[in-house]
Amino acid sequence: MAYHRYVNERSVKVNGGRARQKEQTRRTLIRESRRLFATAGYGAVSLSEVVRAAGVTKGALYHHFDGKTALFRAVLEEVQQQVAEAVAAAAEAQDDPWARFTAGCQAFLTSGTDPDVRQIMLLDGPAVLGWNEWRALDEAASARHLAEELTALIEEGLLPPQPVAPLTRLLSGAMNEAALWLAESTNPEDLTDARAALSRLLEALRSPQ
């Protein structure tokens, strides 16, 4: 009985160690490929460079990802999640519901100034995955939270009663388009102008006080 317990415990430890090692390899691949994609752009990075930077074999890479596009998708999902977290943090720093909403929207717009976000999410993302898949990932990462915020603002009377779905798409599309434009811009004043324009747009939606 004790022998069987020893074997089972040892099996659990071995399997757990393997799982941790696999996860560590995956995290290393994502970290190093993110660094390379952000620095050189997707098209200039080869899988040979990725595995060399990560210190693993191509076989290890293909164990986790079926190719370069799949690896990029994982990196993009991580970047989008971090943008969503930054937006949430900016919103939660405010006490007033309207201030939370506008702070989150402005944080999303400003996120494109981060080099990783600019290159991976805004420049390479739509080009590598195609517009439809890029939008689907954006929907999962941030549009759902935008819809929740708009619903809450309507319930609190800060926005006029209206269907949330079309308003979510209109605002999400406007902010995404502005972020894509800013990613291509070389004029530092464009961000200031875009933030001011977004403030005016959001204020125009607000219920009369």
Side-chain angles (χ1 to χ4, degrees):
M1 190 72 174
Y3 172 76
H4 288 300
R5 183 167 61 250
Y6 166 77
V7 170
N8 290 335
E9 289 174 353
R10 180 172 177 77
S11 177
V12 168
K13 289 180 180 179
V14 169
N15 291 334
R18 288 173 179 168
R20 285 191 296 273
Q21 185 176 15
K22 287 180 180 178
E23 180 58 23
Q24 181 59 43
T25 298
R26 186 178 187 278
R27 296 304 311 158
T28 301
L29 285 165
I30 291 176
R31 183 186 70 243
E32 293 303 320
S33 59
R34 173 173 175 166
R35 179 178 62 82
L36 291 168
F37 290 147
T39 302
Y42 176 86
V45 177
S46 68
L47 288 182
S48 295
E49 290 177 275
V50 172
V51 297
R52 185 163 57 248
V56 301
T57 65
K58 276 195 175 181
L61 184 150
Y62 282 115
H63 177 78
H64 293 279
F65 306 101
D66 62 13
K68 184 178 170 183
T69 301
L71 177 59
F72 177 81
R73 186 182 295 107
V75 171
L76 174 59
E77 288 174 346
E78 179 181 89
V79 171
Q80 287 184 315
Q81 182 59 39
Q82 289 179 1
V83 169
E85 290 171 359
V87 168
E92 289 167 4
Q94 305 296 323
D95 294 327
D96 177 73
W98 184 258
R100 285 199 299 270
F101 171 62
T102 57
C105 291
Q106 293 288 2
F108 175 82
L109 199 63
T110 305
S111 67
T113 60
D114 179 278
D116 284 22
V117 175
R118 178 182 180 276
Q119 185 64 50
I120 294 170
M121 190 176 94
L122 299 174
L123 297 180
D124 283 340
V128 174
L129 300 182
W131 182 252
N132 287 338
E133 185 173 357
W134 185 83
R135 283 291 295 118
L137 291 175
D138 175 72
E139 174 80 17
S142 59
R144 177 172 54 84
H145 298 294
L146 177 60
E148 292 171 356
E149 285 295 317
L150 292 171
T151 299
L153 290 173
I154 291 171
E155 291 174 349
E156 293 177 25
L158 294 171
L159 287 175
Q162 60 191 291
V164 171
L167 183 59
T168 301
R169 297 313 185 276
L170 286 167
L171 281 180
S172 178
M175 289 189 289
N176 277 330
E177 186 62 30
L180 290 166
W181 171 65
L182 288 170
E184 298 279 5
S185 172
T186 57
N187 183 354
E189 294 181 3
D190 285 342
L191 176 60
T192 301
D193 292 342
R195 286 175 59 88
L198 178 59
S199 292
R200 291 190 294 271
L201 174 63
L202 297 178
E203 196 61 34
L205 297 172
R206 192 174 184 179
S207 296
Q209 299 299 304

